[in-house]
């Protein structure tokens, strides 16, 4: 097995190659994110993940420019916001304008909820994610988007999408919450069985994560002489998904990328696979409809 985790890429069902590790930018404060993106790219990251909903695409675009790294060397992922489901073309155009680029490598439907922009507690009466996907499927032909995918889709919604006769393009990626306290093995296996690559967000368990008190993880990190974060990232990459750790601190951005030259044994991976605690960073109670059904474990 290659120990060059930072050079690793996964080949998608389109043939494109997504880098195994990227920088996540959710919850990054505006003036911090520009610097974070620049620092990450200068460190060697080649995958930047953002979203219209984060309100920071313009800053992300500035950070990309500041880095001086050529556009074609960077994998950019962004996402269609829930209130833009019925305006997919406007959504991608808005993201491209803010990012200051001509195309994105991956465009995801952020959530399977077509939220009414005039009332965030309501779902659009005449629209659902099937219709959104019909519109997204038109994007690759425009040259604005290289790959399309989904995010926060569980097995039930994926089946609904894939079994619909209008679904001509299988999502290239499903970006989901993945860490040892939310490992979703059934969902990851389902994604793989359909040729859909999994990207793990909140892969470090997010801010103030209970994971950092987990004795098994702490003991393993100490044994390897690594940070718990580095262990979690290598766990995810060795499990076969891409990881997008979020940080704005230069030292942590650097440390998260310093994962080459070592790996976890099958036994060590198994220890992390079997942590008993369960928590989700991102639930669905803020959405007008339910999207998680507890069937993905």
């Amino acid at each position: 097995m290659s120990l060059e985790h930072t050079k690793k890429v996964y080949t998608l069902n389109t043939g494109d190659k997504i880098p195994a590790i990227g920088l996540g930018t959710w919850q990054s404060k505006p003036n911090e994110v520009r610097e974070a993106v620049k620092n990450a790219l200068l460190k060697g990251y080649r995958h930047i993940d953002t979203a219209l909903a984060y309100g920071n695409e313009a800053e992300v675009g500035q950070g990309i420019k500041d880095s001086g790294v050529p556009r074609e060397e960077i994998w950019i992922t962004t996402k269609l916001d829930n209130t833009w489901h019925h305006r997919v073309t406007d959504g991608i155009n808005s993201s491209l304008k803010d990012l200051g680029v001509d195309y994105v490598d991956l465009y995801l439907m952020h959530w399977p909820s077509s939220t009414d922009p005039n009332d965030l507690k309501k779902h659009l009466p005449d629209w659902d994610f099937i219709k959104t996907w019909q519109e997204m499927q038109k994007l690759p032909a425009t040259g604005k988007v290289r790959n399309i995918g989904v995010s926060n889709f569980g097995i039930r919604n994926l089946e609904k999408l894939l079994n619909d006769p209008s679904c001509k393009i299988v999502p290239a990626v499903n970006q989901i919450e993945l860490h040892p306290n939310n490992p979703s093995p059934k969902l990851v296996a389902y994604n793989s069985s359909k040729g859909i690559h999994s990207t793990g967000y909140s892969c470090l368990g997010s801010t103030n994560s209970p994971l950092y008190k987990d004795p098994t993880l702490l003991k393993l990190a100490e044994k390897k002489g690594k940070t718990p974060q580095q262990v979690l990232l290598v766990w995810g990459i060795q499990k076969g998904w891409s990881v997008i750790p979020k940080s704005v601190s230069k030292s942590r951005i650097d440390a998260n990328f310093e994962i080459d030259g070592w790996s976890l044994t099958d036994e060590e991976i198994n220890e992390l696979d079997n942590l008993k605690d369960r928590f989700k960073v991102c639930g669905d109670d803020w959405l007008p409809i339910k999207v998680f059904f507890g069937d993905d474990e």
Side-chain angles (χ1 to χ4, degrees):
M1 191 194 69
S2 164
L3 303 181
E4 296 296 302
H5 305 298
T6 61
K7 301 276 190 299
K8 186 173 172 59
V9 293
Y10 295 103
T11 304
L12 303 180
N13 58 22
T14 57
D16 274 2
K17 292 174 166 44
I18 188 170
I21 181 167
L23 178 76
T25 60
W26 178 49
Q27 288 182 328
S28 297
K29 295 187 186 81
N31 51 355
E32 296 176 330
V33 84
R34 176 175 182 171
E35 199 64 11
V37 168
K38 181 185 85 173
N39 287 335
L41 290 169
L42 291 176
K43 179 69 178 171
Y45 287 74
R46 287 298 178 266
H47 175 181
I48 305 291
D49 180 273
T50 183
L52 196 154
Y54 304 165
N56 63 14
E57 287 172 310
E59 291 259 353
V60 168
Q62 286 296 329
I64 289 170
K65 281 198 186 65
D66 293 348
S67 76
V69 175
R71 164 68 188 97
E72 60 276 10
E73 287 181 24
I74 306 168
W75 181 282
I76 302 175
T77 298
T78 193
K79 309 177 194 86
L80 177 74
D81 195 13
N82 308 346
T83 53
W84 294 64
H85 274 211
H86 56 315
R87 300 179 291 156
V88 169
T89 305
D90 291 346
I92 184 61
N93 288 343
S94 169
S95 289
L96 292 175
K97 181 169 177 280
D98 282 349
L99 285 162
V101 295
D102 298 329
Y103 71 95
V104 293
D105 299 272
L106 180 62
Y107 195 49
L108 303 176
M109 189 189 320
H110 204 154
W111 291 85
S113 172
S114 307
T115 306
D116 185 337
N118 300 314
D119 184 350
L120 301 183
K121 293 189 169 59
K122 286 192 180 142
H123 198 259
L124 286 169
D126 55 346
W127 200 271
D128 65 6
F129 64 75
I130 301 287
K131 285 188 177 175
T132 311
W133 192 249
Q134 287 167 12
E135 293 304 307
M136 286 183 67
Q137 289 182 131
K138 298 172 184 171
L139 294 178
T142 65
K144 294 176 181 179
V145 171
R146 297 275 166 96
N147 301 272
I148 55 171
V150 295
S151 180
N152 297 299
F153 269 62
I155 294 171
R156 194 184 298 189
N157 279 335
L158 278 173
E159 291 201 311
K160 188 177 162 189
L161 178 65
L162 295 173
N163 293 330
D164 193 272
S166 70
C167 179
K168 304 284 187 256
I169 298 178
V170 174
V173 171
N174 184 14
Q175 186 179 121
I176 50 180
E177 180 177 336
L178 285 174
H179 49 77
N181 289 161
N182 191 71
S184 307
K186 282 187 186 148
L187 176 53
V188 171
Y190 182 87
N191 286 342
S192 300
S193 75
K194 301 295 180 188
I196 300 169
H197 172 72
S198 303
T199 293
Y201 74 76
S202 293
C203 47
L204 304 176
S206 205
T207 319
N208 306 323
S209 163
L211 263 173
Y212 299 131
K213 297 188 186 74
D214 190 285
T216 308
L217 173 62
L218 294 177
K219 204 166 115 190
L220 182 52
E222 193 179 355
K223 180 176 108 181
K224 303 298 273 191
K226 304 294 172 190
T227 67
Q229 290 87 341
Q230 289 168 332
V231 169
L232 289 170
L233 294 172
V234 169
W235 173 78
I237 292 170
Q238 285 188 224
K239 295 280 286 180
W241 54 78
S242 45
V243 290
I244 44 170
K246 175 255 157 178
S247 181
V248 290
S249 130
K250 186 176 185 307
S251 59
R252 281 200 295 270
I253 288 170
D254 287 355
N256 288 344
F257 203 69
E258 288 160 6
I259 52 174
D260 288 345
W262 61 282
S263 63
L264 296 169
T265 65
D266 291 348
E267 190 185 351
E268 288 164 344
I269 286 176
N270 199 39
E271 281 180 42
L272 293 175
D273 284 351
N274 287 294
L275 297 189
K276 293 287 172 273
D277 290 345
R278 290 288 176 266
F279 75 89
K280 268 180 90 61
V281 175
C282 251
D284 59 7
D285 49 3
W286 59 283
L287 292 168
I289 54 164
K290 200 163 173 50
V291 302
F292 298 131
F293 305 101
D295 55 352
D296 298 329
E297 280 295 313

